[in-house]
């Protein structure tokens, strides 16, 4: 009975057929390898060219900097530039008083020396604007003529300020003025705005705009030239800063 059951028809679930191997696609391995090789070569060449260009630029910049430093050092050895010196040697103040309308009447004459200590550099003074201040308030100005100063030379400037000007002072400044009036010595700031060029041999090698400041203590003198309290003006060296560039 059992054998007949085993040899009879099978009515269970169907048995799936064994999986068939998928057909292999033949890829163009040779073409892809060539493309990859070409891409790698292009990337390698581009990187090599970029590195070469970058290295060349760095070398050029370094060479230019070295040349500039060497030329600057040689120029300094030849020229040995020195700072121009400004000094107020004398100041004559014969009038300096306020009236009831805050108008300052003044008469101030200065003698200024300009010393060029350079052995090989001459100086063109293109513009010279002189100004006088009292308590940080400008009360006078004068434009002086242009001139050329040779090397190892001393030039003289003689600005004269004579006029009247409204000058408003605060309470503290008025007290300082009253004290200076008693002492017979006034604190006056003298300033100059200058445009200059430098000459070395046949060449004009630079351009500068110095700002010169001189803090003066000027005694009031009578019209006969003597100080009422015996005060004497002391020669005063000026401070200055400047904007300088090599080419105009």
């Amino acid at each position: 009975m059992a054998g007949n059951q085993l040899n009879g028809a099978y009515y269970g679930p169907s048995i799936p057929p064994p999986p068939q191997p998928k057909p292999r696609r033949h890829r163009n391995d040779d073409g892809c390898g060539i493309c990859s090789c070409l891409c790698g070569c292009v990337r390698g060449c581009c990187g090599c060219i970029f590195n070469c260009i970058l290295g060349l630029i760095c070398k050029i910049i370094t060479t230019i900097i070295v040349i500039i430093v060497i030329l600057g050092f040689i120029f300094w050895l030849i020229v040995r530039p020195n700072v121009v010196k400004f000094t107020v040697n004398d100041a004559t103040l014969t009038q300096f008083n306020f009236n009831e309308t805050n108008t300052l009447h003044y008469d101030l004459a200065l003698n200024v020396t300009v010393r060029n200590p350079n052995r090989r550099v001459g100086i063109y003074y293109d513009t010279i604007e002189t100004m006088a201040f009292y308590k940080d308030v400008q009360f006078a100005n004068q434009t002086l003529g242009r001139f050329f100063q040779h090397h190892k030379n001393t030039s003289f400037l003689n600005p004269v300020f004579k006029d009247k000007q409204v000058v408003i002072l605060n309470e503290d400044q008025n007290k300082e003025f009253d004290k200076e009036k008693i002492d017979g010595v006034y604190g006056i700031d003298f300033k100059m705005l200058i445009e200059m060029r430098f000459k070395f041999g046949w060449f004009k090698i630079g351009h500068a705009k110095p700002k010169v400041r001189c803090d003066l203590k000027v005694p009031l003198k009578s019209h006969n030239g003597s100080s009422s309290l015996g005060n004497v003006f002391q020669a005063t060296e000026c401070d200055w800063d400047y904007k300088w560039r090599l080419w105009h």
Side-chain angles (χ1 to χ4, degrees), residues 108-143:
L108 174 65
L110 302 177
N111 177 269
V112 183
T113 60
V114 183
R115 176 64 181 172
N116 177 15
N118 295 284
R119 294 183 298 173
R120 296 181 176 88
V121 178
I123 302 175
Y124 291 94
Y125 294 87
D126 293 326
T127 61
I128 305 174
E129 181 72 18
T130 64
M131 296 164 287
F133 291 77
Y134 183 71
K135 306 304 179 186
D136 295 326
V137 179
Q138 180 179 337
F139 64 87
N141 69 285
Q142 183 184 17
T143 300

Side-chain angles (χ1 to χ4, degrees), residues 17-248:
Q20 297 294 327
K22 295 182 179 180
R24 296 182 61 185
R25 295 181 180 179
H26 297 283
R27 294 182 299 177
N28 192 358
D29 293 337
D30 294 338
C32 183
I34 293 174
C35 292
S36 300
C37 182
L38 290 175
C39 292
C41 290
V42 170
R43 285 195 296 267
C45 291
C46 291
C48 182
I49 293 173
F50 177 77
N51 291 333
C52 290
I53 294 175
L54 184 61
L56 180 61
I57 293 174
C58 292
K59 290 179 180 179
I60 292 174
I61 294 176
T62 303
T63 302
I64 291 174
I65 293 175
V66 171
I67 291 175
I68 291 175
V69 171
I70 293 174
L71 291 178
F73 181 69
I74 294 174
F75 176 80
W76 181 83
L77 287 177
I78 296 174
V79 178
R80 295 293 180 93
N82 293 292
V83 177
V84 179
K85 296 181 180 180
F86 298 87
T87 305
V88 180
N89 290 317
D90 191 24
T92 302
L93 183 65
T94 57
Q95 186 179 19
F96 202 78
N97 59 276
F98 285 92
N99 61 13
E100 62 279 358
T101 61
N102 294 318
T103 300
L104 175 64
H105 295 260
Y106 56 87
D107 188 350
L108 174 65
L110 302 177
N111 177 269
V112 183
T113 60
V114 183
R115 176 64 181 172
N116 177 15
N118 295 284
R119 294 183 298 173
R120 296 181 176 88
V121 178
I123 302 175
Y124 291 94
Y125 294 87
D126 293 326
T127 61
I128 305 174
E129 181 72 18
T130 64
M131 296 164 287
F133 291 77
Y134 183 71
K135 306 304 179 186
D136 295 326
V137 179
Q138 180 179 337
F139 64 87
N141 69 285
Q142 183 184 17
T143 300
L144 303 181
R146 59 192 301 174
F147 67 96
F148 174 75
Q149 185 179 38
H150 294 277
H151 53 83
K152 300 293 277 186
N153 181 266
T154 300
S155 301
F156 299 92
L157 306 177
N158 300 104
V160 176
F161 308 105
K162 183 177 182 180
D163 204 345
K164 59 183 178 180
Q165 176 68 36
V166 175
V167 177
I168 305 299
L169 302 180
N170 58 37
E171 183 177 354
D172 293 336
Q173 290 172 335
N174 277 311
K175 291 180 180 179
E176 292 175 0
F177 172 78
D178 293 336
K179 183 178 183 303
E180 291 178 344
K181 186 176 182 179
I182 295 174
D183 296 337
V185 178
Y186 297 90
I188 297 175
D189 293 333
F190 172 65
K191 298 181 181 181
M192 292 188 291
L193 300 179
I194 302 174
E195 291 187 10
M196 60 171 60
R197 292 172 295 147
F198 305 99
K199 181 180 179 183
F200 175 67
W202 296 99
F203 303 99
K204 297 173 184 177
I205 58 175
H207 184 264
K209 293 183 177 181
K211 297 179 180 179
V212 183
R213 175 170 179 167
C214 316
D215 298 328
L216 308 178
K217 297 295 183 181
V218 187
L220 182 65
K221 294 183 178 181
S222 62
H223 290 285
N224 61 10
S226 62
S227 174
S228 57
L229 299 177
N231 297 307
V232 178
F233 177 79
Q234 301 293 328
T236 305
E237 292 188 0
C238 304
D239 297 323
W240 65 297
D241 56 11
Y242 61 92
K243 295 180 179 179
W244 185 88
R245 58 179 180 266
L246 183 60
W247 304 112
H248 177 50

